[in-house]
Amino acid sequence: MNALLLIIGILFNVFLGALVLLRQREPAARALFMVAIGLIVWETANYFADISSANTLFWNRLTFAGPLLVMLASYLFILNLRGRVLSGRMSTFLVVGTIAILACVALPFVVTDIVARPGGYNPVYG
């Protein structure tokens, strides 16, 4: 049942993102497509973090990457709706900041270990 919900969620987000991106090529449409991709990463990582025994630590760490992408894309979407354009410095700052946060998520700063529990796994936060 959980796998079916995951597949429905992924298909919905792919459909929604592709529909928006194919109808308009504006920056706001690209930002909404990035939101859909972030949601796909997040829901897939959440699903596999609870059932995968081989790569549970990887999937738990990846769970934090999806919302980061959603947050960044939402910020860009709101800027586009307001008619604002990012300067070169601000774009560089956002890219470097996002990469730095992703590096912290990939390293054992956020999730240090995994503890097995009945029916799944619990992350140990650092």
Side-chain angles (χ1 to χ4, degrees):
M1 181 66 177
N2 289 340
L4 178 65
L5 291 175
L6 173 68
I7 291 169
I8 290 171
I10 288 173
L11 290 176
F12 177 75
N13 282 315
V14 166
F15 174 74
L16 185 65
L19 181 70
V20 168
L21 195 61
L22 291 175
R23 293 187 127 209
Q24 297 180 0
R25 293 289 184 171
E26 297 175 6
R30 288 193 299 261
L32 276 177
F33 182 73
M34 282 178 45
V35 168
I37 296 298
L39 290 173
I40 290 170
V41 169
W42 187 34
E43 61 192 6
T44 304
N46 271 321
Y47 177 75
F48 285 112
D50 218 22
I51 66 162
S52 174
S53 61
N55 298 322
T56 307
L57 187 59
F58 166 77
W59 290 111
N60 270 284
R61 289 178 178 166
L62 189 63
T63 301
F64 291 93
L68 181 64
L69 183 60
V70 170
M71 179 200 62
L72 177 64
S74 298
Y75 177 71
L76 295 174
F77 178 72
I78 291 169
L79 282 179
N80 286 315
L81 285 181
R82 297 186 72 199
R84 295 191 177 176
V85 178
L86 286 177
S87 67
R89 279 179 88 177
M90 189 60 172
S91 295
T92 304
F93 174 75
L94 282 176
V95 168
V96 170
T98 302
I99 291 171
I101 293 171
L102 282 174
C104 288
V105 167
L107 297 173
F109 295 127
V110 178
V111 178
T112 58
D113 199 11
I114 300 297
V115 177
R117 64 171 168 77
Y121 300 91
N122 282 343
V124 176
Y125 299 108

